[in-house]
Amino acid sequence: VDGAWDMFHCGHVALLRNAKALGDLLIVGVHADAVVNQHRASNYPIMNMQERVLSVLGCRYVDDVLLDAPWQVTREMIATLRISVVVRGTICDTDVRDADDPHNIPKEMGIQVELDSE
């Protein structure tokens, strides 16, 4: 599962708990500040990447963090990290269109799971 994880809150924890239940190891991608700002605009992220990474690492369900996670999930990344499931929540802070969906490849591969955001 990847994201900005800005202003880490109980909804994030719930998503990570549910994602962890889908496998043995949960790797969480944290996007760089510039990537978050490019897709959210305005003054985001509020917290810098180091603060966001520490928040994610402090969650008991997270096994590892991918720093500066790419916006697009690629076949190479899936193969290199031996990813079997790519998770996304139902709440997305950006306007993602089908053609620009960063999870197009996991969808094509049939390994994307969408979990209800709380």
Side-chain angles (χ1 to χ4, degrees):
V1 62
D2 62 311
W5 311 105
D6 203 12
M7 303 302 292
F8 197 78
H9 55 79
C10 61
H12 290 138
V13 174
L15 177 66
L16 295 173
R17 179 189 64 234
N18 294 337
K20 173 70 175 188
L22 297 174
D24 298 325
L25 181 74
L26 180 61
I27 301 171
V28 179
V30 179
H31 300 299
D33 296 342
V35 172
V36 175
N37 186 262
Q38 177 185 0
H39 292 280
R40 285 193 183 174
S42 222
N43 275 339
Y44 294 105
I46 294 169
M47 299 168 66
N48 67 40
M49 190 170 86
Q50 290 78 13
E51 293 168 321
R52 294 181 289 116
V53 166
L54 289 173
S55 296
V56 171
L57 279 172
C59 180
R60 69 185 294 173
Y61 305 108
V62 176
D63 295 300
D64 205 352
V65 170
L66 177 61
L67 300 172
D68 195 13
W71 182 253
Q72 297 284 338
V73 179
T74 64
R75 290 184 190 278
E76 294 79 17
M77 186 172 104
I78 291 168
T80 300
L81 296 175
R82 298 174 46 194
I83 296 171
S84 57
V85 176
V86 176
V87 174
R88 167 189 278 167
T90 52
I91 295 176
C92 184
D93 295 332
T94 60
D95 183 24
V96 177
R97 296 179 189 3
D98 288 337
D100 299 328
D101 188 344
H103 288 192
N104 272 340
I105 290 175
K107 283 180 181 178
E108 289 172 7
M109 296 174 70
I111 63 169
Q112 191 207 310
V113 174
E114 188 166 276
L115 297 176
D116 288 333
S117 297
E118 295 180 26

